[in-house]
Amino acid sequence: MRTWLVAVLFSVAYTAKLTISPMKHSVTPVSRADFDAVISKFRDRQVAVVYFYKPDDSASIKYFDEFNSIAQELRGMFKFGGVNCNDQMKLCKDEGI
Protein backbone atom coordinates (compact mmCIF):
# COMPACT_ATOMS: atom_id res chain seq x y z
CA MET A 1 0.00 0.00 0.00
CA ARG A 2 2.77 2.47 0.88
CA THR A 3 4.67 1.79 -2.32
CA TRP A 4 1.53 2.42 -4.37
CA LEU A 5 0.80 5.72 -2.55
CA VAL A 6 4.35 6.95 -3.05
CA ALA A 7 4.16 6.04 -6.73
CA VAL A 8 0.90 7.97 -7.14
CA LEU A 9 2.26 11.04 -5.34
CA PHE A 10 5.45 10.94 -7.42
CA SER A 11 3.41 10.60 -10.60
CA VAL A 12 1.22 13.59 -9.70
CA ALA A 13 4.20 15.74 -8.72
CA TYR A 14 6.16 14.75 -11.80
CA THR A 15 3.36 15.59 -14.26
CA ALA A 16 2.45 18.96 -12.72
CA LYS A 17 3.13 21.78 -15.16
CA LEU A 18 2.50 25.48 -15.03
CA THR A 19 0.31 26.88 -17.78
CA ILE A 20 -0.62 30.55 -17.69
CA SER A 21 -4.09 31.21 -19.02
CA PRO A 22 -5.41 34.77 -19.38
CA MET A 23 -8.90 33.42 -18.67
CA LYS A 24 -7.82 32.03 -15.27
CA HIS A 25 -4.95 34.29 -14.28
CA SER A 26 -4.17 38.00 -14.00
CA VAL A 27 -0.90 37.43 -15.82
CA THR A 28 -0.55 37.86 -19.58
CA PRO A 29 1.45 35.14 -21.38
CA VAL A 30 4.28 36.81 -23.28
CA SER A 31 6.37 35.47 -26.15
CA ARG A 32 9.30 36.87 -28.10
CA ALA A 33 6.89 37.93 -30.85
CA ASP A 34 4.83 40.16 -28.56
CA PHE A 35 7.32 41.09 -25.79
CA ASP A 36 7.93 44.56 -27.24
CA ALA A 37 4.21 45.21 -27.75
CA VAL A 38 3.13 43.92 -24.34
CA ILE A 39 6.06 44.92 -22.10
CA SER A 40 8.66 47.21 -23.68
CA LYS A 41 6.18 49.56 -25.35
CA PHE A 42 4.70 50.63 -22.02
CA ARG A 43 7.93 50.91 -19.97
CA ASP A 44 7.78 54.72 -20.03
CA ARG A 45 4.14 54.84 -18.81
CA GLN A 46 3.63 51.75 -16.66
CA VAL A 47 5.74 49.41 -14.59
CA ALA A 48 5.87 45.89 -15.98
CA VAL A 49 6.56 42.85 -13.81
CA VAL A 50 7.53 39.73 -15.74
CA TYR A 51 7.57 36.20 -14.32
CA PHE A 52 10.14 34.13 -16.20
CA TYR A 53 9.44 30.46 -15.50
CA LYS A 54 9.89 26.88 -16.58
CA PRO A 55 6.53 25.07 -16.59
CA ASP A 56 7.92 21.85 -15.13
CA ASP A 57 10.08 23.50 -12.45
CA SER A 58 8.73 22.99 -8.93
CA ALA A 59 9.88 26.44 -7.76
CA SER A 60 8.17 28.12 -10.73
CA ILE A 61 4.95 26.27 -9.96
CA LYS A 62 5.20 26.99 -6.23
CA TYR A 63 5.66 30.75 -6.55
CA PHE A 64 3.27 31.40 -9.42
CA ASP A 65 0.15 31.38 -7.22
CA GLU A 66 1.63 34.17 -5.10
CA PHE A 67 2.68 36.10 -8.21
CA ASN A 68 -0.83 35.76 -9.65
CA SER A 69 -2.38 36.93 -6.36
CA ILE A 70 -0.21 40.03 -6.41
CA ALA A 71 -1.16 40.59 -10.06
CA GLN A 72 -4.85 40.43 -9.10
CA GLU A 73 -4.39 42.91 -6.25
CA LEU A 74 -2.38 45.38 -8.32
CA ARG A 75 -4.25 45.01 -11.61
CA GLY A 76 -4.28 48.31 -13.46
CA MET A 77 -1.36 49.74 -11.49
CA PHE A 78 1.22 47.41 -13.06
CA LYS A 79 1.41 45.22 -16.14
CA PHE A 80 2.03 41.54 -15.26
CA GLY A 81 3.42 39.13 -17.82
CA GLY A 82 4.73 35.59 -17.82
CA VAL A 83 7.40 34.11 -20.09
CA ASN A 84 7.76 30.34 -20.51
CA CYS A 85 11.54 29.89 -20.71
CA ASN A 86 11.20 26.39 -22.19
CA ASP A 87 9.38 27.84 -25.20
CA GLN A 88 11.11 31.23 -25.24
CA MET A 89 14.76 30.34 -24.54
CA LYS A 90 16.23 33.19 -26.60
CA LEU A 91 13.98 35.79 -24.98
CA CYS A 92 14.92 34.54 -21.51
CA LYS A 93 18.61 34.61 -22.44
CA ASP A 94 18.30 38.12 -23.94
CA GLU A 95 16.66 39.32 -20.73
CA GLY A 96 19.44 37.81 -18.62
CA ILE A 97 17.51 34.85 -17.26
Coordinates of all heavy atoms in Angstrom, one line a residue:
M1 N 0.8 -1.2 0.0 CA 0.0 0.0 0.0 C 0.9 1.3 0.0 O 0.6 2.2 -0.7 CB -0.9 0.0 1.2 CG -1.8 1.2 1.4 SD -3.0 1.3 0.1 CE -4.1 2.5 0.7
R2 N 1.9 1.3 0.8 CA 2.8 2.5 0.9 C 3.5 2.7 -0.4 O 3.6 3.8 -0.9 CB 3.8 2.3 2.0 CG 3.5 3.0 3.2 CD 4.6 3.0 4.1 NE 4.1 2.9 5.4 CZ 4.8 2.9 6.5 NH1 6.1 2.9 6.5 NH2 4.2 2.9 7.7
T3 N 4.0 1.7 -1.0 CA 4.7 1.8 -2.3 C 3.7 2.4 -3.4 O 4.1 3.3 -4.1 CB 5.2 0.4 -2.8 OG1 6.0 -0.1 -1.8 CG2 6.0 0.6 -4.1
W4 N 2.5 1.9 -3.4 CA 1.5 2.4 -4.4 C 1.3 3.9 -4.1 O 1.2 4.7 -5.1 CB 0.3 1.6 -4.2 CG -0.8 2.0 -5.2 CD1 -0.9 1.7 -6.5 CD2 -1.9 2.9 -4.9 NE1 -2.0 2.3 -7.1 CE2 -2.6 3.0 -6.1 CE3 -2.4 3.5 -3.8 CZ2 -3.8 3.8 -6.2 CZ3 -3.5 4.3 -3.9 CH2 -4.2 4.4 -5.1
L5 N 1.1 4.3 -2.9 CA 0.8 5.7 -2.5 C 2.0 6.6 -2.9 O 1.8 7.7 -3.5 CB 0.5 5.9 -1.0 CG 0.2 7.3 -0.6 CD1 -1.1 7.8 -1.3 CD2 -0.1 7.3 0.9
V6 N 3.2 6.2 -2.7 CA 4.4 7.0 -3.1 C 4.4 7.1 -4.6 O 4.7 8.2 -5.1 CB 5.6 6.3 -2.5 CG1 6.9 7.0 -3.1 CG2 5.6 6.4 -1.0
A7 N 4.1 6.0 -5.3 CA 4.2 6.0 -6.7 C 3.1 7.0 -7.3 O 3.4 7.8 -8.2 CB 3.9 4.7 -7.3
V8 N 1.9 7.0 -6.7 CA 0.9 8.0 -7.1 C 1.3 9.4 -6.9 O 1.2 10.3 -7.7 CB -0.4 7.6 -6.5 CG1 -1.5 8.7 -6.7 CG2 -1.0 6.3 -7.0
L9 N 1.8 9.7 -5.7 CA 2.3 11.0 -5.3 C 3.4 11.5 -6.3 O 3.4 12.6 -6.7 CB 2.7 11.1 -3.9 CG 1.6 11.0 -2.9 CD1 2.2 11.0 -1.4 CD2 0.6 12.1 -3.0
F10 N 4.3 10.6 -6.5 CA 5.4 10.9 -7.4 C 4.9 11.2 -8.8 O 5.3 12.2 -9.5 CB 6.5 9.8 -7.5 CG 7.6 10.1 -8.4 CD1 8.6 11.0 -8.0 CD2 7.7 9.5 -9.6 CE1 9.6 11.3 -8.9 CE2 8.7 9.7 -10.5 CZ 9.7 10.6 -10.1
S11 N 4.0 10.4 -9.3 CA 3.4 10.6 -10.6 C 2.7 11.9 -10.7 O 2.8 12.6 -11.7 CB 2.4 9.5 -10.9 OG 1.8 9.7 -12.1
V12 N 1.9 12.3 -9.7 CA 1.2 13.6 -9.7 C 2.2 14.7 -9.7 O 2.1 15.7 -10.4 CB 0.2 13.7 -8.5 CG1 -0.3 15.1 -8.4 CG2 -0.9 12.7 -8.7
A13 N 3.2 14.7 -8.8 CA 4.2 15.7 -8.7 C 5.0 15.9 -10.0 O 5.3 16.9 -10.5 CB 5.1 15.5 -7.5
Y14 N 5.3 14.7 -10.6 CA 6.2 14.8 -11.8 C 5.4 15.3 -13.0 O 6.0 16.0 -13.8 CB 6.6 13.3 -12.1 CG 7.5 13.3 -13.3 CD1 8.8 13.6 -13.2 CD2 7.0 12.8 -14.5 CE1 9.7 13.6 -14.3 CE2 7.9 12.8 -15.7 CZ 9.2 13.1 -15.5 OH 10.0 13.1 -16.6
T15 N 4.1 15.1 -13.1 CA 3.4 15.6 -14.3 C 2.8 17.0 -14.1 O 2.3 17.5 -15.0 CB 2.2 14.6 -14.6 OG1 1.3 14.6 -13.4 CG2 2.7 13.3 -14.9
A16 N 3.0 17.6 -12.9 CA 2.5 19.0 -12.7 C 3.2 19.9 -13.6 O 4.5 19.9 -13.6 CB 2.6 19.3 -11.3
K17 N 2.5 20.8 -14.3 CA 3.1 21.8 -15.2 C 2.4 23.1 -15.0 O 1.1 23.1 -14.8 CB 3.1 21.3 -16.6 CG 4.1 20.2 -16.9 CD 4.3 20.1 -18.4 CE 5.3 19.0 -18.6 NZ 6.0 19.0 -19.8
L18 N 3.1 24.2 -15.1 CA 2.5 25.5 -15.0 C 2.1 26.0 -16.4 O 2.9 26.0 -17.3 CB 3.5 26.4 -14.4 CG 3.1 27.9 -14.4 CD1 1.9 28.1 -13.6 CD2 4.3 28.7 -13.8
T19 N 0.8 26.3 -16.5 CA 0.3 26.9 -17.8 C -0.4 28.2 -17.4 O -1.4 28.1 -16.6 CB -0.7 25.9 -18.5 OG1 0.0 24.7 -18.7 CG2 -1.2 26.5 -19.8
I20 N 0.0 29.3 -18.0 CA -0.6 30.6 -17.7 C -1.7 30.8 -18.7 O -1.5 30.7 -19.9 CB 0.4 31.7 -17.8 CG1 1.5 31.5 -16.7 CG2 -0.3 33.0 -17.6 CD1 2.5 32.6 -16.7
S21 N -2.9 31.0 -18.2 CA -4.1 31.2 -19.0 C -4.7 32.6 -18.7 O -5.0 32.8 -17.5 CB -5.1 30.1 -18.8 OG -6.4 30.5 -19.3
P22 N -4.8 33.5 -19.7 CA -5.4 34.8 -19.4 C -6.9 34.7 -18.9 O -7.4 35.6 -18.3 CB -5.3 35.5 -20.7 CG -4.9 34.6 -21.7 CD -4.4 33.3 -21.0
M23 N -7.5 33.6 -19.1 CA -8.9 33.4 -18.7 C -8.9 33.1 -17.2 O -9.9 33.4 -16.5 CB -9.6 32.3 -19.5 CG -9.7 32.6 -21.0 SD -10.6 34.2 -21.3 CE -12.3 33.6 -21.0
K24 N -7.9 32.4 -16.7 CA -7.8 32.0 -15.3 C -6.9 32.9 -14.4 O -7.0 32.9 -13.2 CB -7.3 30.6 -15.2 CG -8.3 29.6 -15.7 CD -7.8 28.1 -15.7 CE -6.7 27.8 -14.8 NZ -6.2 26.4 -14.9
H25 N -6.0 33.6 -15.0 CA -4.9 34.3 -14.3 C -4.9 35.8 -14.6 O -5.5 36.2 -15.7 CB -3.6 33.7 -14.6 CG -3.5 32.2 -14.3 ND1 -3.3 31.3 -15.3 CD2 -3.5 31.6 -13.1 CE1 -3.3 30.1 -14.7 NE2 -3.4 30.2 -13.4
S26 N -4.3 36.6 -13.8 CA -4.2 38.0 -14.0 C -2.8 38.3 -14.6 O -2.4 39.4 -14.6 CB -4.3 38.7 -12.7 OG -5.6 38.6 -12.2
V27 N -2.2 37.3 -15.2 CA -0.9 37.4 -15.8 C -1.1 37.2 -17.3 O -1.7 36.2 -17.7 CB 0.1 36.4 -15.2 CG1 1.4 36.5 -15.9 CG2 0.2 36.6 -13.7
T28 N -0.5 38.0 -18.1 CA -0.5 37.9 -19.6 C 0.6 37.0 -20.1 O 1.8 37.3 -19.8 CB -0.5 39.2 -20.3 OG1 -1.5 40.1 -19.8 CG2 -0.6 39.1 -21.8
P29 N 0.3 35.9 -20.8 CA 1.4 35.1 -21.4 C 2.2 36.0 -22.4 O 1.5 36.7 -23.2 CB 0.8 34.0 -22.1 CG -0.6 33.9 -21.5 CD -0.9 35.3 -21.1
V30 N 3.5 36.0 -22.4 CA 4.3 36.8 -23.3 C 5.3 35.9 -24.0 O 5.9 35.1 -23.4 CB 5.0 37.9 -22.5 CG1 5.8 38.8 -23.4 CG2 4.1 38.7 -21.6
S31 N 5.4 36.2 -25.3 CA 6.4 35.5 -26.2 C 7.3 36.5 -26.8 O 7.2 37.7 -26.6 CB 5.7 34.7 -27.3 OG 5.1 35.6 -28.2
R32 N 8.3 36.0 -27.4 CA 9.3 36.9 -28.1 C 8.6 37.8 -29.1 O 8.9 38.9 -29.3 CB 10.4 36.0 -28.8 CG 11.4 36.9 -29.5 CD 12.7 36.2 -29.6 NE 13.8 37.1 -29.9 CZ 14.3 38.0 -29.0 NH1 13.8 38.2 -27.9 NH2 15.4 38.7 -29.4
A33 N 7.6 37.2 -29.8 CA 6.9 37.9 -30.9 C 6.1 39.1 -30.3 O 6.0 40.1 -31.0 CB 5.9 37.0 -31.6
D34 N 5.6 39.0 -29.1 CA 4.8 40.2 -28.6 C 5.4 40.8 -27.3 O 4.8 41.7 -26.7 CB 3.4 39.7 -28.3 CG 3.3 38.6 -27.3 OD1 4.3 38.2 -26.7 OD2 2.2 38.1 -27.1
F35 N 6.7 40.5 -27.0 CA 7.3 41.1 -25.8 C 7.4 42.6 -25.9 O 7.0 43.3 -25.0 CB 8.7 40.5 -25.6 CG 9.4 41.0 -24.3 CD1 9.1 40.3 -23.1 CD2 10.3 42.0 -24.3 CE1 9.7 40.7 -21.9 CE2 10.9 42.4 -23.1 CZ 10.6 41.8 -21.9
D36 N 7.8 43.1 -27.1 CA 7.9 44.6 -27.2 C 6.6 45.2 -27.2 O 6.4 46.3 -26.5 CB 8.6 44.9 -28.6 CG 10.1 44.6 -28.5 OD1 10.7 44.7 -27.4 OD2 10.7 44.4 -29.6
A37 N 5.5 44.6 -27.8 CA 4.2 45.2 -27.8 C 3.6 45.2 -26.4 O 2.9 46.1 -26.0 CB 3.3 44.5 -28.8
V38 N 3.8 44.1 -25.6 CA 3.1 43.9 -24.3 C 3.9 44.6 -23.2 O 3.3 45.2 -22.3 CB 2.9 42.4 -24.0 CG1 2.4 42.2 -22.7 CG2 2.0 41.8 -25.1
I39 N 5.2 44.5 -23.2 CA 6.1 44.9 -22.1 C 6.9 46.2 -22.4 O 6.7 47.2 -21.8 CB 7.0 43.8 -21.6 CG1 6.2 42.5 -21.3 CG2 7.9 44.3 -20.5 CD1 5.3 42.7 -20.1
S40 N 7.7 46.1 -23.4 CA 8.7 47.2 -23.7 C 8.0 48.5 -24.1 O 8.4 49.6 -23.7 CB 9.6 46.8 -24.8 OG 10.4 45.7 -24.4
K41 N 6.9 48.4 -24.8 CA 6.2 49.6 -25.4 C 5.7 50.5 -24.2 O 5.6 51.7 -24.4 CB 5.0 49.1 -26.2 CG 4.2 50.1 -26.8 CD 3.1 49.5 -27.7 CE 2.1 50.5 -28.1 NZ 1.0 49.8 -28.9
F42 N 5.3 49.9 -23.1 CA 4.7 50.6 -22.0 C 5.7 51.0 -20.9 O 5.2 51.5 -19.8 CB 3.5 49.8 -21.5 CG 2.4 49.6 -22.5 CD1 2.3 48.4 -23.1 CD2 1.6 50.6 -22.9 CE1 1.3 48.2 -24.1 CE2 0.7 50.4 -23.9 CZ 0.5 49.2 -24.5
R43 N 7.0 50.7 -21.0 CA 7.9 50.9 -20.0 C 8.0 52.4 -19.5 O 8.3 52.7 -18.4 CB 9.3 50.4 -20.4 CG 9.5 48.9 -20.3 CD 10.9 48.5 -20.5 NE 11.0 47.0 -20.3 CZ 11.9 46.3 -20.7 NH1 12.9 46.8 -21.4 NH2 11.9 45.0 -20.5
D44 N 7.7 53.3 -20.4 CA 7.8 54.7 -20.0 C 6.5 55.2 -19.3 O 6.5 56.2 -18.7 CB 8.1 55.6 -21.2 CG 7.1 55.5 -22.3 OD1 6.4 54.5 -22.4 OD2 7.0 56.4 -23.1
R45 N 5.4 54.4 -19.4 CA 4.1 54.8 -18.8 C 3.7 53.9 -17.7 O 2.9 54.4 -16.9 CB 3.0 54.9 -19.9 CG 3.2 56.0 -20.9 CD 2.1 56.0 -21.9 NE 2.5 54.9 -22.9 CZ 1.6 54.4 -23.7 NH1 0.3 54.7 -23.6 NH2 2.0 53.5 -24.5
Q46 N 4.1 52.7 -17.6 CA 3.6 51.8 -16.7 C 4.7 50.8 -16.3 O 5.5 50.4 -17.1 CB 2.4 51.0 -17.3 CG 1.7 50.1 -16.3 CD 0.5 49.4 -16.9 OE1 0.5 49.2 -18.1 NE2 -0.5 49.2 -16.1
V47 N 4.8 50.4 -15.0 CA 5.7 49.4 -14.6 C 5.3 48.0 -15.0 O 4.1 47.7 -14.8 CB 5.9 49.5 -13.1 CG1 6.8 48.4 -12.6 CG2 6.5 50.8 -12.6
A48 N 6.2 47.3 -15.6 CA 5.9 45.9 -16.0 C 6.6 44.9 -15.1 O 7.8 45.1 -14.8 CB 6.3 45.7 -17.4
V49 N 6.0 43.9 -14.6 CA 6.6 42.9 -13.8 C 6.4 41.6 -14.6 O 5.3 41.2 -14.9 CB 5.9 42.7 -12.4 CG1 6.5 41.7 -11.6 CG2 5.8 44.1 -11.7
V50 N 7.6 40.9 -14.9 CA 7.5 39.7 -15.7 C 8.0 38.5 -14.9 O 9.1 38.6 -14.3 CB 8.4 39.9 -17.0 CG1 8.3 38.7 -17.9 CG2 7.9 41.2 -17.8
Y51 N 7.2 37.5 -15.0 CA 7.6 36.2 -14.3 C 8.2 35.3 -15.4 O 7.5 34.8 -16.2 CB 6.3 35.6 -13.7 CG 6.5 34.4 -12.8 CD1 7.1 34.6 -11.5 CD2 6.2 33.1 -13.2 CE1 7.3 33.6 -10.7 CE2 6.3 32.1 -12.3 CZ 6.9 32.3 -11.1 OH 7.1 31.2 -10.2
F52 N 9.5 35.1 -15.3 CA 10.1 34.1 -16.2 C 10.1 32.8 -15.5 O 10.6 32.7 -14.4 CB 11.6 34.6 -16.5 CG 11.7 35.8 -17.3 CD1 11.7 37.1 -16.7 CD2 11.7 35.8 -18.6 CE1 11.8 38.2 -17.4 CE2 11.8 36.9 -19.4 CZ 11.8 38.2 -18.8
Y53 N 9.6 31.8 -16.2 CA 9.4 30.5 -15.5 C 9.7 29.3 -16.4 O 9.7 29.5 -17.7 CB 8.0 30.4 -15.0 CG 7.0 30.3 -16.0 CD1 6.5 29.0 -16.5 CD2 6.5 31.4 -16.6 CE1 5.5 29.0 -17.5 CE2 5.5 31.3 -17.6 CZ 5.0 30.1 -18.1 OH 4.1 30.0 -19.1
K54 N 9.9 28.1 -15.8 CA 9.9 26.9 -16.6 C 8.7 26.1 -16.1 O 8.5 25.9 -14.9 CB 11.2 26.1 -16.3 CG 12.4 26.8 -17.0 CD 13.6 25.9 -16.9 CE 14.7 26.6 -17.7 NZ 15.8 25.7 -17.9
P55 N 7.8 25.7 -17.0 CA 6.5 25.1 -16.6 C 6.6 23.8 -15.8 O 5.7 23.4 -15.1 CB 5.8 24.8 -17.9 CG 6.8 24.9 -19.0 CD 7.9 25.8 -18.4
D56 N 7.8 23.1 -15.9 CA 7.9 21.9 -15.1 C 8.8 22.0 -13.9 O 9.2 21.0 -13.3 CB 8.4 20.7 -16.0 CG 9.7 21.2 -16.8 OD1 10.1 22.3 -16.7 OD2 10.2 20.3 -17.5
D57 N 9.2 23.2 -13.6 CA 10.1 23.5 -12.4 C 9.2 23.7 -11.2 O 8.3 24.5 -11.2 CB 10.9 24.8 -12.7 CG 11.8 25.2 -11.6 OD1 12.6 24.4 -11.1 OD2 11.5 26.3 -11.1
S58 N 9.5 22.9 -10.1 CA 8.7 23.0 -8.9 C 8.7 24.4 -8.3 O 7.7 24.8 -7.8 CB 9.2 21.9 -7.9 OG 10.5 22.2 -7.5
A59 N 9.8 25.1 -8.3 CA 9.9 26.4 -7.8 C 9.0 27.4 -8.6 O 8.3 28.2 -8.0 CB 11.3 27.0 -7.7
S60 N 9.0 27.3 -9.9 CA 8.2 28.1 -10.7 C 6.7 27.9 -10.4 O 5.9 28.8 -10.3 CB 8.4 27.8 -12.2 OG 9.7 28.2 -12.6
I61 N 6.3 26.6 -10.3 CA 4.9 26.3 -10.0 C 4.6 26.8 -8.6 O 3.5 27.4 -8.4 CB 4.8 24.7 -10.1 CG1 5.0 24.3 -11.5 CG2 3.4 24.3 -9.5 CD1 5.1 22.8 -11.6
K62 N 5.5 26.6 -7.6 CA 5.2 27.0 -6.2 C 5.0 28.5 -6.1 O 4.0 28.9 -5.4 CB 6.4 26.6 -5.4 CG 6.3 27.0 -3.9 CD 7.5 26.5 -3.2 CE 7.5 27.0 -1.7 NZ 8.7 26.6 -1.0
Y63 N 5.8 29.3 -6.7 CA 5.7 30.7 -6.5 C 4.7 31.4 -7.5 O 4.3 32.6 -7.3 CB 7.0 31.4 -6.7 CG 8.0 30.9 -5.6 CD1 9.1 30.1 -5.8 CD2 7.7 31.3 -4.2 CE1 9.9 29.7 -4.8 CE2 8.5 30.8 -3.2 CZ 9.6 30.0 -3.5 OH 10.4 29.6 -2.5
F64 N 4.2 30.7 -8.5 CA 3.3 31.4 -9.4 C 2.0 31.8 -8.8 O 1.4 32.9 -9.1 CB 3.0 30.5 -10.6 CG 2.0 31.2 -11.6 CD1 2.4 32.3 -12.3 CD2 0.7 30.9 -11.6 CE1 1.6 33.0 -13.2 CE2 -0.2 31.5 -12.4 CZ 0.2 32.6 -13.2
D65 N 1.4 31.0 -7.9 CA 0.1 31.4 -7.2 C 0.3 32.7 -6.5 O -0.6 33.6 -6.5 CB -0.3 30.3 -6.3 CG -0.8 29.1 -7.0 OD1 -1.2 29.2 -8.2 OD2 -0.8 28.0 -6.4
E66 N 1.4 32.9 -5.8 CA 1.6 34.2 -5.1 C 1.8 35.3 -6.1 O 1.2 36.4 -5.9 CB 2.9 34.1 -4.2 CG 3.1 35.3 -3.4 CD 2.1 35.6 -2.3 OE1 1.4 34.6 -1.9 OE2 1.9 36.7 -2.0
F67 N 2.5 35.1 -7.2 CA 2.7 36.1 -8.2 C 1.3 36.5 -8.8 O 1.0 37.7 -9.0 CB 3.6 35.6 -9.3 CG 3.9 36.6 -10.4 CD1 4.9 37.6 -10.2 CD2 3.3 36.5 -11.6 CE1 5.2 38.5 -11.2 CE2 3.6 37.4 -12.6 CZ 4.5 38.4 -12.4
N68 N 0.5 35.5 -9.1 CA -0.8 35.8 -9.6 C -1.7 36.5 -8.7 O -2.5 37.4 -9.1 CB -1.5 34.5 -10.1 CG -2.8 34.7 -10.8 OD1 -2.8 35.4 -11.8 ND2 -3.9 34.1 -10.4
S69 N -1.6 36.2 -7.4 CA -2.4 36.9 -6.4 C -2.0 38.4 -6.3 O -2.8 39.3 -6.2 CB -2.2 36.3 -5.0 OG -2.7 35.0 -4.9
I70 N -0.7 38.6 -6.4 CA -0.2 40.0 -6.4 C -0.7 40.7 -7.7 O -1.1 41.9 -7.6 CB 1.3 40.1 -6.3 CG1 1.8 39.6 -4.9 CG2 1.9 41.5 -6.6 CD1 3.2 39.3 -4.8
A71 N -0.7 40.0 -8.8 CA -1.2 40.6 -10.1 C -2.6 41.0 -10.0 O -3.1 42.0 -10.5 CB -0.9 39.6 -11.2
Q72 N -3.4 40.1 -9.3 CA -4.9 40.4 -9.1 C -5.0 41.7 -8.2 O -5.8 42.5 -8.6 CB -5.6 39.3 -8.4 CG -5.8 38.1 -9.4 CD -6.3 36.9 -8.6 OE1 -6.2 36.7 -7.4 NE2 -6.9 36.0 -9.4
E73 N -4.3 41.8 -7.2 CA -4.4 42.9 -6.2 C -4.0 44.2 -6.9 O -4.5 45.3 -6.6 CB -3.6 42.7 -5.0 CG -4.1 41.6 -4.1 CD -3.2 41.4 -2.9 OE1 -2.5 42.3 -2.4 OE2 -3.1 40.2 -2.5
L74 N -3.0 44.2 -7.7 CA -2.4 45.4 -8.3 C -2.8 45.6 -9.8 O -2.1 46.4 -10.5 CB -0.9 45.4 -8.2 CG -0.4 45.3 -6.7 CD1 1.2 45.2 -6.7 CD2 -0.9 46.4 -5.9
R75 N -3.8 44.9 -10.2 CA -4.2 45.0 -11.6 C -4.6 46.5 -11.9 O -5.2 47.2 -11.1 CB -5.5 44.2 -11.8 CG -6.1 44.3 -13.2 CD -7.3 43.5 -13.4 NE -6.9 42.4 -14.2 CZ -7.4 41.2 -14.2 NH1 -8.3 40.9 -13.4 NH2 -7.0 40.2 -15.0
G76 N -4.1 46.9 -13.0 CA -4.3 48.3 -13.5 C -3.1 49.2 -13.0 O -2.9 50.2 -13.7
M77 N -2.5 48.9 -11.9 CA -1.4 49.7 -11.5 C -0.1 49.3 -12.2 O 0.8 50.1 -12.4 CB -1.2 49.6 -10.0 CG -2.4 50.2 -9.2 SD -2.3 49.9 -7.4 CE -0.7 50.6 -7.0
F78 N 0.0 48.0 -12.4 CA 1.2 47.4 -13.1 C 0.8 46.5 -14.2 O -0.3 45.9 -14.1 CB 2.1 46.6 -12.0 CG 2.5 47.4 -10.9 CD1 1.9 47.4 -9.7 CD2 3.7 48.2 -11.0 CE1 2.3 48.1 -8.6 CE2 4.1 48.9 -9.9 CZ 3.4 48.9 -8.7
K79 N 1.6 46.2 -15.1 CA 1.4 45.2 -16.1 C 2.1 44.0 -15.7 O 3.3 44.0 -15.4 CB 2.0 45.7 -17.5 CG 1.8 44.8 -18.6 CD 0.4 44.9 -19.1 CE 0.2 44.0 -20.4 NZ -1.1 43.9 -20.7
F80 N 1.4 42.8 -15.7 CA 2.0 41.5 -15.3 C 2.1 40.6 -16.4 O 1.0 40.3 -17.1 CB 1.2 40.9 -14.1 CG 1.4 41.6 -12.8 CD1 0.6 42.7 -12.5 CD2 2.4 41.3 -11.9 CE1 0.8 43.4 -11.3 CE2 2.6 41.9 -10.7 CZ 1.8 43.0 -10.4
G81 N 3.2 40.1 -16.7 CA 3.4 39.1 -17.8 C 4.2 37.9 -17.4 O 4.9 37.9 -16.3
G82 N 4.0 36.8 -18.1 CA 4.7 35.6 -17.8 C 5.4 35.0 -19.1 O 4.7 35.0 -20.1
V83 N 6.7 34.7 -19.0 CA 7.4 34.1 -20.1 C 7.8 32.7 -19.8 O 8.5 32.4 -18.8 CB 8.6 35.0 -20.4 CG1 9.5 34.3 -21.5 CG2 8.3 36.4 -20.8
N84 N 7.4 31.8 -20.6 CA 7.8 30.3 -20.5 C 9.2 30.2 -21.1 O 9.3 30.3 -22.3 CB 6.7 29.5 -21.3 CG 7.1 28.0 -21.2 OD1 8.2 27.6 -21.0 ND2 6.1 27.2 -21.5
C85 N 10.2 30.0 -20.2 CA 11.5 29.9 -20.7 C 11.9 28.6 -21.4 O 12.9 28.5 -22.1 CB 12.5 30.1 -19.5 SG 12.5 31.8 -19.0
N86 N 11.0 27.6 -21.4 CA 11.2 26.4 -22.2 C 10.9 26.7 -23.6 O 11.5 26.2 -24.6 CB 10.3 25.2 -21.7 CG 10.9 24.6 -20.5 OD1 12.0 24.9 -20.0 ND2 10.2 23.6 -19.9
D87 N 9.8 27.5 -23.8 CA 9.4 27.8 -25.2 C 10.1 29.1 -25.7 O 10.2 29.2 -27.0 CB 7.9 28.1 -25.2 CG 7.0 26.9 -24.9 OD1 7.6 25.8 -25.1 OD2 5.9 27.1 -24.6
Q88 N 10.5 29.9 -24.9 CA 11.1 31.2 -25.2 C 12.6 31.4 -24.7 O 12.9 32.3 -24.1 CB 10.3 32.4 -24.7 CG 8.8 32.3 -25.1 CD 8.6 32.5 -26.6 OE1 9.3 33.3 -27.2 NE2 7.6 31.8 -27.1
M89 N 13.4 30.4 -25.1 CA 14.8 30.3 -24.5 C 15.6 31.6 -24.9 O 16.3 32.1 -24.1 CB 15.5 29.1 -25.0 CG 15.0 27.8 -24.3 SD 16.1 26.5 -24.7 CE 15.0 25.6 -25.9
K90 N 15.5 32.0 -26.2 CA 16.2 33.2 -26.6 C 15.8 34.4 -25.9 O 16.6 35.3 -25.5 CB 16.1 33.4 -28.1 CG 17.0 34.5 -28.6 CD 17.3 34.4 -30.1 CE 18.0 35.6 -30.6 NZ 18.8 36.5 -29.8
L91 N 14.5 34.6 -25.7 CA 14.0 35.8 -25.0 C 14.5 35.8 -23.5 O 15.0 36.8 -23.0 CB 12.5 35.8 -25.0 CG 11.8 36.9 -24.2 CD1 12.2 38.3 -24.6 CD2 10.3 36.8 -24.3
C92 N 14.4 34.7 -22.9 CA 14.9 34.5 -21.5 C 16.4 34.9 -21.4 O 16.9 35.6 -20.6 CB 14.6 33.2 -20.9 SG 12.8 32.9 -20.7
K93 N 17.2 34.3 -22.4 CA 18.6 34.6 -22.4 C 18.9 36.1 -22.7 O 19.7 36.7 -22.0 CB 19.3 33.8 -23.5 CG 20.8 33.9 -23.6 CD 21.4 33.1 -24.6 CE 22.9 33.3 -24.7 NZ 23.5 32.6 -25.7
D94 N 18.1 36.7 -23.6 CA 18.3 38.1 -23.9 C 18.0 39.0 -22.7 O 18.5 40.1 -22.6 CB 17.4 38.5 -25.1 CG 17.9 37.9 -26.4 OD1 19.0 37.4 -26.5 OD2 17.1 38.0 -27.4
E95 N 17.1 38.5 -21.9 CA 16.7 39.3 -20.7 C 17.5 39.0 -19.5 O 17.2 39.4 -18.4 CB 15.2 39.1 -20.4 CG 14.3 39.7 -21.5 CD 14.4 41.2 -21.6 OE1 14.5 41.9 -20.6 OE2 14.4 41.7 -22.8
G96 N 18.5 38.1 -19.7 CA 19.4 37.8 -18.6 C 19.0 36.7 -17.7 O 19.4 36.6 -16.5
I97 N 18.1 35.9 -18.1 CA 17.5 34.9 -17.3 C 18.2 33.5 -17.6 O 18.4 33.2 -18.7 CB 16.0 34.7 -17.5 CG1 15.3 36.0 -17.3 CG2 15.4 33.6 -16.6 CD1 15.4 36.6 -15.9

